[in-house]
Amino acid sequence: MKSVSSAQVNTAVQIGPHCVGYRQPALIVAEAGVNHDGSVSTALELVDAAVAAGADAVKFQMFRAEELTTATARVASYQQTGGIATQRELLERLELSDADFARLAAHCRQRDIGFLATPFSVPDVDRLVKLGVPAIKIASGDLTNAPLQRRAVLTGLPLILSTGASTAEEIVTAVERLRIWGAGTRTILLHCISGYPAPVEAANLRAICTLQRVTGVPCGFSDHTRSTDIAAWAVAAGACLLEKHFTLDRARPGPDHAMSLTPDELKLYVKQARAADAALGTGDLGMTDIEAEVRAVARKSVVAARPIPAGTALTGDMLTVKRPGGGIGPEWLETLSGRLATVDIAADTVLTWDMVR
């Protein structure tokens, strides 16, 4: 599997007011998905819960069941609820209308939280553009869906692409395709384990850095675990964006509720991610302001081992090294030999450069 040169690496993508990428705070997307169960009022409550949790954006899923699936496509095991056997039957119950999405987008603007939705068809992309989304999120299942991606590219918006259940070659091919189409500098990949829920031990967070190194685009984490601690781990592993499912009630019968966080858990998840961002800092080397006092008391200086009269040529036995710092540093000890004391220096005195010549 080939990797990109450092010259090709794109370090940041602008999504609305957020700069997403290397050394930037992780963008946290609260994934409401279809946990509204087809009710726009519940969807509005999910927006409010995402705001209360401190998320940067809330994301839904936009589809028309008839456009998305054949009449006989079977549901996955985690989607088997209420005796539903086909995807179309399941998804028909989870659709929201264009008017519903317009209400959601307006409510997000009012609550000052980003509005996102995953489109599953070319017409869905066009619907989202009309709603003013700041980016287009492509689901893992569409990583090889070139027609959908092509339409998303033509919007000129940033692209967020999940990689769940994909081979390494499929991922590299998808990124190269987007780069050829001119969207390489506005693409973000999300490492993703397509398990519902995914065990924490299967998260493979080291893949986040691997994705960035191999593809040259910023990488985040689409999280399907039930963990809240993993938010901090993912940020520490290099995730520039976190996407996490949440629900108002995990006991509801819809397909995604059981693997979603509650509102309180989402709030903790956001808190953990923010704390990790703060702990990681800038990555710059050098002393920080809070270290100044400790530096002063813990560092050492050249000190007179005995009284040294003015005019005396210094020798090694006249000098020693002791705390505190602030005087002539111990790295200069050997070079002081032969220099003359310009003043009388009492024993145990920290030497400064104005005392010698």
Side-chain angles (χ1 to χ4, degrees):
M1 184 170 59
K2 64 181 179 179
S3 61
V4 295
S5 70
S6 59
Q8 291 174 289
V9 174
N10 177 43
T11 58
V13 176
Q14 193 72 29
I15 297 181
H18 303 282
C19 185
V20 183
Y22 181 60
R23 290 193 178 187
Q24 301 295 328
L27 181 76
I28 302 179
V29 178
E31 171 66 79
V34 294
N35 282 342
H36 49 72
D37 299 324
S39 164
V40 68
S41 62
T42 301
L44 292 167
E45 289 184 61
L46 285 163
V47 171
D48 292 337
V51 172
D56 298 304
V58 59
K59 188 178 77 67
F60 295 90
Q61 295 177 12
M62 176 178 277
F63 54 84
R64 297 293 178 265
E66 190 172 349
E67 296 174 356
L68 178 55
T69 178
T70 66
T72 58
R74 306 290 296 179
V75 294
S77 58
Y78 80 95
Q79 296 173 321
Q80 292 174 354
T81 177
I84 294 174
T86 68
Q87 291 188 42
R88 181 175 293 182
E89 183 183 1
L90 173 68
L91 295 173
E92 284 175 343
R93 301 183 183 189
L94 302 175
E95 285 187 14
L96 292 176
S97 68
D98 288 352
D100 292 336
F101 276 111
R103 286 185 64 187
L104 290 175
H107 191 58
C108 286
R109 287 192 294 271
Q110 184 180 32
R111 296 304 314 273
D112 195 26
I113 188 170
F115 169 73
L116 294 169
T118 299
F120 288 88
S121 71
V122 169
D124 293 333
V125 174
D126 296 334
R127 294 182 185 110
L128 285 177
V129 170
K130 292 177 181 177
L131 294 174
V133 291
I136 301 292
K137 164 65 193 298
I138 305 294
S140 294
D142 286 314
L143 184 124
T144 60
N145 189 341
L148 177 63
Q149 292 171 23
R150 180 61 172 165
R151 183 67 192 95
V153 167
L154 292 175
T155 68
L157 293 170
L159 306 179
I160 305 168
L161 180 61
S162 282
T163 62
S166 301
T167 68
E169 297 306 321
E170 287 172 335
I171 295 168
V172 170
T173 298
V175 173
E176 286 303 312
R177 179 168 56 238
L178 295 175
R179 186 170 281 123
I180 289 169
W181 288 343
T185 58
R186 50 186 167 97
T187 295
I188 295 170
L189 286 182
L190 299 186
H191 169 56
C192 177
I193 301 298
S194 292
Y196 302 92
V200 169
E201 59 271 22
N204 191 23
L205 295 178
R206 287 192 176 101
I208 295 168
C209 283
T210 302
L211 274 177
Q212 170 123 10
R213 184 180 68 251
V214 169
T215 65
V217 301
C219 296
F221 182 43
S222 180
D223 181 8
H224 293 149
T225 73
R226 289 196 183 107
S227 171
T228 54
D229 292 336
I230 203 169
W233 306 340
V235 170
C240 65
L241 187 155
L242 299 177
E243 179 182 86
K244 186 73 167 182
H245 282 265
F246 77 109
T247 178
L248 298 177
D249 183 358
R250 193 181 286 132
R252 290 188 180 188
D256 293 340
H257 293 293
M259 61 93 173
S260 299
L261 299 184
T262 64
D264 286 344
E265 289 170 336
L266 179 64
K267 187 174 184 178
L268 178 58
Y269 187 89
V270 173
K271 181 180 179 180
Q272 299 274 43
R274 304 296 191 214
D277 269 323
L280 287 172
T282 65
D284 294 333
L285 298 180
M287 187 184 74
T288 63
D289 292 343
I290 66 170
E291 297 175 293
E293 181 183 10
V294 171
R295 177 187 172 97
V297 300
R299 289 292 178 95
K300 296 179 179 177
S301 302
V302 177
V303 173
R306 59 182 175 81
I308 304 173
T312 302
L314 301 179
T315 58
D317 62 328
M318 298 177 184
L319 306 172
T320 189
V321 173
K322 294 183 180 182
R323 290 179 175 177
I328 297 174
E331 66 271 26
W332 297 99
L333 178 63
E334 293 183 5
T335 64
L336 288 172
S337 292
R339 291 184 180 239
L340 300 180
T342 59
V343 296
D344 291 335
I345 304 173
D348 214 34
T349 298
V350 173
L351 270 66
T352 56
W353 287 110
D354 59 350
M355 298 177 179
V356 300
R357 62 178 172 84

